[in-house]
Amino acid sequence: MAITMENFGLTWTDPDGTARTSGVSYDQANASHRKQELEDAHAEDVEIVETKPGERLQPKC
């Protein structure tokens, strides 16, 4: 049986308005945990985005 690896990244906007993306990939559980940390730090528009291995997310403009 094959195991399918799913990778996730995050995009968000810092409280000062700077668009950011995660520089690493997470599994679903850790992406959710990191999303909560960002929201607790008052980041806005925090989104979990599925990525492919080696893919880098681009900040929202």
Side-chain angles (χ1 to χ4, degrees):
M1 175 166 69
I3 297 173
T4 303
M5 180 78 173
E6 293 181 315
N7 297 299
F8 299 91
L10 290 112
T11 62
W12 70 93
T13 304
D14 281 343
D16 68 1
T18 304
R20 304 275 187 191
T21 63
S22 56
V24 299
S25 293
Y26 299 94
D27 61 16
Q28 181 66 49
N30 286 314
S32 295
H33 179 74
R34 180 65 177 138
K35 179 179 180 183
Q36 187 61 54
E37 289 177 337
L38 290 166
E39 290 171 342
D40 291 346
H42 306 289
E44 298 177 358
D45 302 322
V46 183
E47 290 185 30
I48 296 174
V49 181
E50 188 169 359
T51 61
K52 296 181 188 278
E55 179 181 6
R56 290 190 55 144
L57 295 175
Q58 297 298 314
K60 297 178 201 172
C61 295

